[in-house]
Amino acid sequence: MKKVYINDYSCFSSLGLGVQKNWTAVQNLKSGIQKIEQFGAIENFHCGKIKDQWIEQAWNELNIQAEYSRLEKIMILTLKPLVEKYQMSENTALVLATTKGNIDFLENLPTEKADLHHLAKKIQDFFQFKNTPIILSNACVSGTLAVAVAKRFIQMNRFSDAYVLAGDEVTSFVLSGFKSFQAMSDEICQPFDQNRKGINLGEAAAAAYLSTVEIQQQSFEILGESSIADANHISGPSRTAEGLFLSIQNALKEAKIDKNEIDCISAHGTATIFNDEMESIAIDRMALNETPIHSLKAYFGHTLGAAGLLELIMVMESLKNNQRIVSKGFESLGVSKELNITTKKEAKPMRIALKTASGFGGVNTALLIEKK
């Protein structure tokens, strides 16, 4: 089976536009989560929202006259630096991941602009991709799963290379949904902590370029991946962590490495009671309790369909710089299984990382990458 590499990546979040701004902020333990007084009918909540002036400033520099939605602008600005660096061919794929897309367009008739294929077509036309975009909307594993799907298509010789683009924005629909679950924290979230109260939502776009060509001192090989849905509940995770456990197990089998070779784990870590507990059970069942683990949700908030890819990008920066990521907000363990939560900055030689993601409907994805 041919090897597939992530050769480059980009992101736009509440911490700024570009990988370097985001990585520097994470290393400085800076959070993009702020208190928002009013958003639609929702009041006084914490959220990782991208500043509108950042979007408009970067967009105006492109001098584009056509109409694009706010989410489309965020996604285009994120993908553009990659498309400009790598030659596109007839066999280049665009894999687009999002949970809600332009859902705000449902408020107005006609509602066709809310369709995910309409969003994908706008991105395709802007960059002139030859192939119809592949759309993934699989709850909060969408961004991670999109990388896995792009890898599989390349290995199947369906495409020669692929751009993966993931994005979601904060909307009244999403905010009201999580508020109805009583799952939103009234302060910056604390993944895996004893005093965790729930999630902060966030918005972001993230992009990556995948191919079979390794770029020296820049590429990350996708060693293994797996995605298993345990169909436990429409919103609640499995009490036995079956889907996530099997996803990690299968990813390790494909990678043909020992679990002890994993240098760090980037968890989904939403800071909800049940998600964090489920993840701790999966890690315990895999006997990875001593492997350093972190969550990035207290930096960005939960960015839904973008979360998996955005957090994978930060993990690649972690491996590249041999610098562990501090799990911001963690003070004392609040799950039933022992975890080795990273609580302080530490320079450490690292080569292999595990990224996990879980979501509504019992979906789970695990992905292993290696620094080349």
Side-chain angles (χ1 to χ4, degrees):
M1 189 71 72
K2 66 178 65 174
K3 295 181 178 181
V4 178
Y5 303 92
I6 301 172
N7 288 320
D8 211 342
Y9 41 83
S10 178
C11 61
F12 195 178
S13 78
S14 56
L15 289 174
L17 173 57
V19 173
Q20 193 55 53
K21 284 184 179 179
N22 281 267
W23 173 246
T24 299
V26 168
Q27 281 297 285
N28 291 330
L29 304 183
K30 179 182 177 182
S31 176
I33 299 169
Q34 303 290 330
K35 184 176 181 180
I36 296 179
E37 303 293 338
Q38 183 85 38
F39 189 94
I42 310 298
E43 299 178 343
N44 299 320
F45 64 98
H46 284 73
C47 177
K49 204 167 187 305
I50 299 173
K51 293 181 179 179
D52 290 335
Q53 56 264 41
W54 292 353
I55 302 171
E56 292 310 311
Q57 181 180 350
W59 187 256
N60 290 338
E61 291 176 2
L62 302 182
N63 196 27
I64 296 168
Q65 302 304 315
E67 288 291 325
Y68 289 90
S69 71
R70 183 175 181 274
L71 177 61
E72 289 160 2
K73 290 178 181 179
I74 294 169
M75 296 178 83
I76 288 170
L77 288 166
T78 303
L79 184 57
K80 194 172 185 292
L82 300 186
V83 173
E84 291 175 343
K85 288 175 68 174
Y86 302 96
Q87 188 172 358
M88 192 186 303
S89 74
E90 297 284 339
N91 293 317
T92 299
L94 171 61
V95 183
L96 189 146
T98 184
T99 61
K100 295 295 181 284
N102 286 314
I103 198 167
D104 276 352
F105 281 125
L106 286 177
E107 297 179 357
N108 303 302
L109 294 173
T111 61
E112 285 82 358
K113 289 184 179 181
D115 294 341
L116 296 186
H117 71 80
H118 185 275
L119 167 64
K121 187 68 164 59
K122 291 289 288 289
I123 304 296
Q124 177 190 6
D125 290 348
F126 184 93
F127 293 107
Q128 298 184 325
F129 281 94
K130 307 300 182 184
N131 294 293
T132 302
I134 298 163
I135 303 170
L136 282 167
S137 184
N138 193 15
C140 300
V141 307
S142 299
T144 316
L145 183 60
V147 175
V149 167
K151 165 200 169 261
R152 295 180 198 180
F153 272 118
I154 292 172
Q155 289 179 326
M156 292 163 56
N157 296 317
R158 177 64 181 84
F159 298 104
S160 59
D161 55 346
Y163 291 91
V164 178
L165 177 62
D168 267 307
E169 66 175 333
V170 171
T171 65
S172 296
F173 179 90
V174 174
L175 284 168
S176 60
F178 278 94
K179 189 174 178 63
S180 70
F181 283 143
Q182 297 181 336
M184 291 172 61
S185 174
D186 59 359
E187 55 192 33
I188 295 179
C189 65
Q190 297 179 269
F192 300 109
D193 193 80
Q194 183 176 3
N195 296 316
R196 68 189 186 278
K197 299 179 180 179
I199 72 166
N200 306 129
L201 289 172
E203 57 187 9
Y209 176 68
L210 282 63
S211 77
T212 58
V213 179
E214 177 186 350
I215 301 175
Q216 291 294 326
Q217 298 181 332
Q218 182 173 326
S219 298
F220 294 83
E221 182 184 349
I222 304 172
L223 297 176
E225 42 78 17
S226 180
S227 185
I228 292 179
D230 49 50
N232 173 76
H233 186 269
I234 192 170
S235 60
S238 167
R239 299 299 191 268
T240 62
E242 196 66 24
L244 184 56
F245 166 73
L246 291 173
S247 294
I248 299 172
Q249 188 178 69
N250 286 352
L252 279 166
K253 286 180 181 178
E254 182 188 358
K256 294 182 174 60
I257 63 170
D258 186 89
K259 66 179 186 298
N260 294 321
E261 295 182 66
I262 299 172
D263 294 302
C264 70
I265 302 170
S266 176
H268 193 54
T270 62
T272 58
I273 296 297
F274 296 119
N275 174 87
D276 291 7
E277 175 66 14
M278 181 276 290
E279 286 196 271
S280 79
I281 293 171
I283 297 301
D284 181 71
R285 289 182 65 184
M286 286 300 306
L288 288 167
N289 309 73
E290 295 183 6
T291 305
I293 185 171
H294 66 263
S295 168
L296 283 151
K297 294 297 189 292
Y299 295 96
F300 303 108
H302 190 345
T303 57
L304 305 179
L309 184 50
L310 174 65
E311 293 164 11
L312 180 63
I313 287 170
M314 291 298 102
V315 171
M316 288 189 283
E317 284 295 293
S318 174
L319 295 183
K320 184 185 294 184
N321 292 281
N322 293 309
Q323 183 70 51
R324 285 183 179 159
I325 295 172
V326 174
S327 196
K328 185 175 175 63
F330 179 83
E331 295 176 356
S332 58
L333 192 66
V335 291
S336 65
K337 308 300 181 184
E338 286 297 320
L339 295 175
N340 184 11
I341 307 289
T342 302
T343 58
K344 61 180 181 179
K345 293 177 68 173
E346 182 181 5
K348 193 81 173 178
M350 294 188 292
R351 184 172 58 91
I352 295 175
L354 168 65
K355 176 73 192 108
T356 61
S358 301
F360 288 170
V363 294
N364 304 274
T365 299
L367 191 145
L368 284 159
I369 56 168
E370 180 181 19
K371 177 176 63 177
K372 305 310 287 184

